């Protein structure tokens, strides 16, 4: 992506004020029309049609773009939802998250994390010790944006994910988001599963460990999910955290190591 101008594109689709889907891209100028078309197609691909789609385009100063390496990816197999959540809770504990905060996060995603009980368009921020909710708006949450793979890294990551049977575009996108989020100042871990009833996979991302991908974080047909960012409040400044997640442009130009983990429990001994 050297030379040409870069743009951040953000898409939000909603219906009657409720968030349906979103997308974040950073692309070269000549890819703008195609990317807008792709984002619009995504907004309209769900059974429930949006009545509003907002696409925001911002020019990005190339010198402000931070180049990073993606998190390593560890694909685990578990016996199902309960086993996945239990392993995620143990890994959270190893990362310094209290039992109370881990339970609060798992409960919030299972119930629907918005204050009103539904899904959010962004993430919950949770104090990794006290489990206090810290996001400024508990209906909407905080949305990470301005991140993407560079052209070369996208191809390489795509091939490596394919090799592990993880060719779904969602994995690549989620890994990009988690790789940026892991660098936010004060971030301890991120827990996610989708609110799409047909997509049961989820992950736990821990700086220093990687992106641990679980094929089943919820039962098929369940339409609640979301994201939780656990933060260490002693090293956390709300403004700096938000500024980094929402505004700092990040391109992933190097790909971490991706592997299947046969013995998931071994992660607890690492
Ligand atoms: P998805 O993986 O796209 O199904 O998203 C699952 C949930 O994660 C959504 O319901 C949002 O609550 C949250 N989410 C999605 N995109 C973002 C983002 N860019 N930043 C923060 N949270 C997000």
């Amino acid at each position: 992506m050297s030379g040409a101008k870069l743009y951040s594109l953000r898409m939000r689709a909603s219906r009657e004020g409720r968030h349906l889907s979103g997308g974040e891209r950073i692309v070269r100028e000549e890819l703008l029309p195609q990317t807008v078309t792709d984002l619009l197609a995504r907004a309209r691909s769900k059974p429930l049609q949006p009545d509003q789609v907002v696409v925001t385009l911002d020019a990005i100063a190339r010198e402000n773009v931070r180049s990073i390496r993606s998190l390593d990816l560890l694909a685990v197999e578990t016996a199902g939802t309960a086993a996945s959540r239990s392993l995620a809770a143990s890994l959270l504990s190893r990362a310094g998250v209290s039992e109370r905060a881990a339970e609060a996060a798992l409960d919030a995603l299972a119930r629907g994390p918005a204050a009103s009980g539904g899904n959010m368009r962004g993430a919950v921020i949770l104090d990794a010790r006290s489990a206090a909710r810290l996001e400024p708006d508990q209906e909407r949450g905080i949305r990470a944006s301005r991140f993407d793979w560079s052209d070369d890294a996208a191809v390489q990551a795509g091939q490596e994910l394919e090799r592990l049977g993880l060719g779904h575009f969602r994995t690549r996108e989620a890994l990009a988001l988690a790789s940026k989020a892991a660098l936010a100042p004060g971030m301890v871990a991120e827990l996610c599963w989708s609110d799409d009833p047909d997509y049961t996979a989820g992950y736990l991302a821990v700086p220093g460990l990687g992106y641990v991908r679980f094929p089943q974080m919820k039962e098929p047909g369940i339409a609640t999910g979301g994201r939780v960012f656990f933060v260490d409040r002693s090293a956390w400044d709300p403004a700096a955290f938000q500024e980094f997640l929402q505004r700092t442009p990040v391109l992933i130009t190097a790909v971490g190591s991706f592997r299947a983990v046969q013995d998931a429990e071994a992660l607890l001994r690492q």
Side-chain angles (χ1 to χ4, degrees), residues 72-78 160-166 211-215 256-267 270:
D72 292 341
L73 177 136
L74 307 154
V76 299
E77 286 294 335
T78 60
E160 301 213 5
L161 289 170
E162 194 75 50
R163 182 175 55 80
L164 292 171
L166 301 176
Y211 176 105
V212 184
R213 195 245 182 209
F214 299 86
S257 79
F258 297 177
R259 65 186 169 96
V261 176
Q262 306 305 340
D263 174 13
E265 298 292 320
L267 292 179
Q270 270 188 15

Side-chain angles (χ1 to χ4, degrees), residues 109-112 118-119 193-198 218-225:
L109 296 193
R111 249 185 305 112
N119 294 318
W193 68 79
S194 176
D195 48 39
D196 183 335
D198 298 326
K218 67 174 188 185
E219 298 301 318
I222 301 293
T224 50

Side-chain angles (χ1 to χ4, degrees), residues 1 6 26 62 64-72 144-154 156-157 172-185 190 205 207 211 244-245 248-258:
M1 290 200 185
L6 291 181
I26 294 180
R62 197 170 267 279
N64 294 339
V65 176
R66 184 161 160 194
S67 282
I68 68 162
R69 180 179 195 262
S70 80
L71 289 172
D72 292 341
S145 60
R146 292 182 171 82
F147 59 86
D148 208 336
W149 300 90
S150 70
D151 295 345
D152 291 349
Q156 190 190 335
R172 207 172 65 202
E173 287 189 359
L175 179 58
L177 190 161
S179 297
K180 177 179 183 184
L183 296 174
E190 177 194 349
Y211 176 105
F244 176 79
L245 280 177
T248 302
V250 165
L251 265 186
I252 305 172
T253 51
V255 180
S257 79
F258 297 177

Side-chain angles (χ1 to χ4, degrees), residues 24 120-123 142-144 170 177 193-195 226-227:
E24 323 289 330
M120 296 166 92
R121 62 178 242 190
I142 173 171
R143 245 188 111 84
R170 283 173 169 281
L177 190 161
W193 68 79
S194 176
D195 48 39
R227 281 186 158 81

Side-chain angles (χ1 to χ4, degrees), residues 35-112:
T35 311
V36 172
T37 303
D38 292 348
L39 288 170
L40 194 56
R42 161 165 333 174
R44 305 185 67 221
S45 67
K46 298 218 171 181
L48 205 53
Q49 287 299 300
D51 58 19
Q52 185 182 54
V53 180
V54 179
V55 176
T56 310
L57 185 156
D58 292 292
I60 293 180
R62 197 170 267 279
E63 61 272 22
N64 294 339
V65 176
R66 184 161 160 194
S67 282
I68 68 162
R69 180 179 195 262
S70 80
L71 289 172
D72 292 341
L73 177 136
L74 307 154
V76 299
E77 286 294 335
T78 60
T81 303
S84 299
R85 292 186 188 176
S86 155
L87 177 58
S90 304
L91 289 169
L92 280 168
S93 163
R94 274 197 63 218
V97 173
S98 70
E99 200 174 312
R100 186 168 159 201
E103 263 173 29
L106 289 162
D107 279 359
L109 296 193
R111 249 185 305 112

Side-chain angles (χ1 to χ4, degrees), residues 232-255:
D232 169 2
R233 220 159 162 184
S234 67
W236 185 70
D237 170 56
F241 187 81
Q242 205 157 320
E243 170 74 20
F244 176 79
L245 280 177
Q246 295 180 330
R247 302 205 60 87
T248 302
V250 165
L251 265 186
I252 305 172
T253 51
V255 180

